[in-house]
PDB file of all heavy atoms in Angstrom:
ATOM      1  N   ARG H1585     292.405 217.871  56.154  1.00 98.00           N
ATOM      2  CA  ARG H1585     292.356 218.187  57.584  1.00 98.00           C
ATOM      3  C   ARG H1585     291.001 217.781  58.168  1.00 98.00           C
ATOM      4  O   ARG H1585     290.934 217.215  59.269  1.00 98.00           O
ATOM      5  CB  ARG H1585     292.596 219.674  57.826  1.00 98.00           C
ATOM      6  CG  ARG H1585     292.701 220.033  59.308  1.00 98.00           C
ATOM      7  CD  ARG H1585     292.904 221.516  59.552  1.00 98.00           C
ATOM      8  NE  ARG H1585     293.353 221.751  60.913  1.00 98.00           N
ATOM      9  CZ  ARG H1585     292.555 221.768  61.985  1.00 98.00           C
ATOM     10  NH1 ARG H1585     291.256 221.560  61.821  1.00 98.00           N
ATOM     11  NH2 ARG H1585     293.048 221.988  63.175  1.00 98.00           N
ATOM     12  N   GLU H1586     289.935 218.047  57.434  1.00 98.00           N
ATOM     13  CA  GLU H1586     288.609 217.659  57.902  1.00 98.00           C
ATOM     14  C   GLU H1586     288.520 216.137  58.067  1.00 98.00           C
ATOM     15  O   GLU H1586     287.903 215.646  59.020  1.00 98.00           O
ATOM     16  CB  GLU H1586     287.548 218.149  56.921  1.00 98.00           C
ATOM     17  CG  GLU H1586     287.376 219.663  56.916  1.00 98.00           C
ATOM     18  CD  GLU H1586     286.408 220.126  55.840  1.00 98.00           C
ATOM     19  OE1 GLU H1586     285.944 219.264  55.046  1.00 98.00           O
ATOM     20  OE2 GLU H1586     286.116 221.330  55.787  1.00 98.00           O
ATOM     21  N   PHE H1587     289.143 215.403  57.125  1.00 98.00           N
ATOM     22  CA  PHE H1587     289.145 213.949  57.224  1.00 98.00           C
ATOM     23  C   PHE H1587     289.855 213.491  58.492  1.00 98.00           C
ATOM     24  O   PHE H1587     289.327 212.674  59.260  1.00 98.00           O
ATOM     25  CB  PHE H1587     289.820 213.335  55.994  1.00 98.00           C
ATOM     26  CG  PHE H1587     290.163 211.883  56.158  1.00 98.00           C
ATOM     27  CD1 PHE H1587     289.180 210.908  56.044  1.00 98.00           C
ATOM     28  CD2 PHE H1587     291.464 211.491  56.452  1.00 98.00           C
ATOM     29  CE1 PHE H1587     289.490 209.562  56.233  1.00 98.00           C
ATOM     30  CE2 PHE H1587     291.782 210.153  56.627  1.00 98.00           C
ATOM     31  CZ  PHE H1587     290.784 209.184  56.523  1.00 98.00           C
ATOM     32  N   VAL H1588     291.076 213.992  58.716  1.00 98.00           N
ATOM     33  CA  VAL H1588     291.852 213.570  59.879  1.00 98.00           C
ATOM     34  C   VAL H1588     291.113 213.911  61.174  1.00 98.00           C
ATOM     35  O   VAL H1588     291.019 213.090  62.094  1.00 98.00           O
ATOM     36  CB  VAL H1588     293.250 214.215  59.870  1.00 98.00           C
ATOM     37  CG1 VAL H1588     293.989 213.943  61.188  1.00 98.00           C
ATOM     38  CG2 VAL H1588     294.075 213.693  58.697  1.00 98.00           C
ATOM     39  N   MET H1589     290.561 215.118  61.248  1.00 98.00           N
ATOM     40  CA  MET H1589     289.877 215.513  62.471  1.00 98.00           C
ATOM     41  C   MET H1589     288.627 214.674  62.713  1.00 98.00           C
ATOM     42  O   MET H1589     288.272 214.398  63.870  1.00 98.00           O
ATOM     43  CB  MET H1589     289.532 217.004  62.427  1.00 98.00           C
ATOM     44  CG  MET H1589     290.756 217.923  62.339  1.00 98.00           C
ATOM     45  SD  MET H1589     292.083 217.528  63.524  1.00 98.00           S
ATOM     46  CE  MET H1589     291.251 217.833  65.088  1.00 98.00           C
ATOM     47  N   SER H1590     287.964 214.247  61.650  1.00 98.00           N
ATOM     48  CA  SER H1590     286.797 213.379  61.829  1.00 98.00           C
ATOM     49  C   SER H1590     287.229 211.994  62.320  1.00 98.00           C
ATOM     50  O   SER H1590     286.557 211.387  63.160  1.00 98.00           O
ATOM     51  CB  SER H1590     286.002 213.265  60.532  1.00 98.00           C
ATOM     52  OG  SER H1590     286.705 212.517  59.555  1.00 98.00           O
ATOM     53  N   MET H1591     288.366 211.491  61.802  1.00 98.00           N
ATOM     54  CA  MET H1591     288.887 210.213  62.286  1.00 98.00           C
ATOM     55  C   MET H1591     289.290 210.325  63.763  1.00 98.00           C
ATOM     56  O   MET H1591     289.078 209.392  64.549  1.00 98.00           O
ATOM     57  CB  MET H1591     290.106 209.783  61.457  1.00 98.00           C
ATOM     58  CG  MET H1591     289.822 209.414  60.018  1.00 98.00           C
ATOM     59  SD  MET H1591     288.804 207.918  59.819  1.00 98.00           S
ATOM     60  CE  MET H1591     287.207 208.687  59.417  1.00 98.00           C
ATOM     61  N   GLU H1592     289.861 211.460  64.128  1.00 98.00           N
ATOM     62  CA  GLU H1592     290.256 211.664  65.519  1.00 98.00           C
ATOM     63  C   GLU H1592     289.042 211.696  66.440  1.00 98.00           C
ATOM     64  O   GLU H1592     289.120 211.274  67.598  1.00 98.00           O
ATOM     65  CB  GLU H1592     291.043 212.973  65.653  1.00 98.00           C
ATOM     66  CG  GLU H1592     292.426 212.938  65.034  1.00 98.00           C
ATOM     67  CD  GLU H1592     293.352 211.985  65.766  1.00 98.00           C
ATOM     68  OE1 GLU H1592     293.750 212.285  66.909  1.00 98.00           O
ATOM     69  OE2 GLU H1592     293.668 210.924  65.201  1.00 98.00           O
ATOM     70  N   ALA H1593     287.926 212.191  65.926  1.00 98.00           N
ATOM     71  CA  ALA H1593     286.706 212.253  66.736  1.00 98.00           C
ATOM     72  C   ALA H1593     286.019 210.894  66.831  1.00 98.00           C
ATOM     73  O   ALA H1593     285.393 210.569  67.856  1.00 98.00           O
ATOM     74  CB  ALA H1593     285.741 213.275  66.144  1.00 98.00           C
ATOM     75  N   GLU H1594     286.154 210.081  65.769  1.00 97.00           N
ATOM     76  CA  GLU H1594     285.437 208.808  65.708  1.00 97.00           C
ATOM     77  C   GLU H1594     286.223 207.628  66.270  1.00 97.00           C
ATOM     78  O   GLU H1594     285.628 206.666  66.763  1.00 97.00           O
ATOM     79  CB  GLU H1594     285.077 208.489  64.254  1.00 97.00           C
ATOM     80  CG  GLU H1594     284.123 209.475  63.608  1.00 97.00           C
ATOM     81  CD  GLU H1594     283.982 209.234  62.118  1.00 97.00           C
ATOM     82  OE1 GLU H1594     284.422 208.153  61.642  1.00 97.00           O
ATOM     83  OE2 GLU H1594     283.467 210.115  61.420  1.00 97.00           O
ATOM     84  N   LYS H1595     287.551 207.662  66.178  1.00 96.00           N
ATOM     85  CA  LYS H1595     288.363 206.498  66.511  1.00 96.00           C
ATOM     86  C   LYS H1595     289.448 206.866  67.518  1.00 96.00           C
ATOM     87  O   LYS H1595     289.833 208.031  67.642  1.00 96.00           O
ATOM     88  CB  LYS H1595     288.989 205.911  65.250  1.00 96.00           C
ATOM     89  CG  LYS H1595     287.975 205.607  64.139  1.00 96.00           C
ATOM     90  CD  LYS H1595     288.639 205.033  62.914  1.00 96.00           C
ATOM     91  CE  LYS H1595     287.672 204.944  61.736  1.00 96.00           C
ATOM     92  NZ  LYS H1595     286.490 204.101  62.010  1.00 96.00           N
ATOM     93  N   GLU H1596     289.947 205.860  68.182  1.00 94.00           N
ATOM     94  CA  GLU H1596     291.038 206.069  69.130  1.00 94.00           C
ATOM     95  C   GLU H1596     291.959 204.864  69.106  1.00 94.00           C
ATOM     96  O   GLU H1596     291.503 203.716  69.089  1.00 94.00           O
ATOM     97  CB  GLU H1596     290.493 206.294  70.544  1.00 94.00           C
ATOM     98  CG  GLU H1596     291.565 206.666  71.550  1.00 94.00           C
ATOM     99  CD  GLU H1596     290.990 207.133  72.878  1.00 94.00           C
ATOM    100  OE1 GLU H1596     289.761 207.233  72.993  1.00 94.00           O
ATOM    101  OE2 GLU H1596     291.800 207.412  73.779  1.00 94.00           O
ATOM    102  N   ASP H1597     293.262 205.128  69.077  1.00 94.00           N
ATOM    103  CA  ASP H1597     294.283 204.076  69.028  1.00 94.00           C
ATOM    104  C   ASP H1597     294.105 203.153  67.827  1.00 94.00           C
ATOM    105  O   ASP H1597     294.342 201.946  67.910  1.00 94.00           O
ATOM    106  CB  ASP H1597     294.275 203.253  70.315  1.00 94.00           C
ATOM    107  CG  ASP H1597     294.987 203.973  71.453  1.00 94.00           C
ATOM    108  OD1 ASP H1597     295.836 204.837  71.154  1.00 94.00           O
ATOM    109  OD2 ASP H1597     294.696 203.681  72.618  1.00 94.00           O
ATOM    110  N   ALA H1598     293.698 203.734  66.699  1.00 96.00           N
ATOM    111  CA  ALA H1598     293.547 202.958  65.470  1.00 96.00           C
ATOM    112  C   ALA H1598     294.726 203.238  64.538  1.00 96.00           C
ATOM    113  O   ALA H1598     295.418 204.257  64.662  1.00 96.00           O
ATOM    114  CB  ALA H1598     292.242 203.309  64.770  1.00 96.00           C
ATOM    115  N   ILE H1599     294.960 202.316  63.624  1.00 97.00           N
ATOM    116  CA  ILE H1599     295.948 202.494  62.558  1.00 97.00           C
ATOM    117  C   ILE H1599     295.147 202.649  61.275  1.00 97.00           C
ATOM    118  O   ILE H1599     294.500 201.707  60.818  1.00 97.00           O
ATOM    119  CB  ILE H1599     296.896 201.286  62.464  1.00 97.00           C
ATOM    120  CG1 ILE H1599     297.643 201.103  63.787  1.00 97.00           C
ATOM    121  CG2 ILE H1599     297.882 201.466  61.307  1.00 97.00           C
ATOM    122  CD1 ILE H1599     298.412 199.794  63.866  1.00 97.00           C
TER     123      ILE H1599
END
Side-chain angles (χ1 to χ4, degrees):
R1585 186 182 195 280
E1586 290 175 355
F1587 166 78
V1588 172
M1589 298 312 296
S1590 70
M1591 292 294 103
E1592 290 293 290
E1594 296 171 13
K1595 307 180 189 301
E1596 186 169 356
D1597 281 336
I1599 300 170

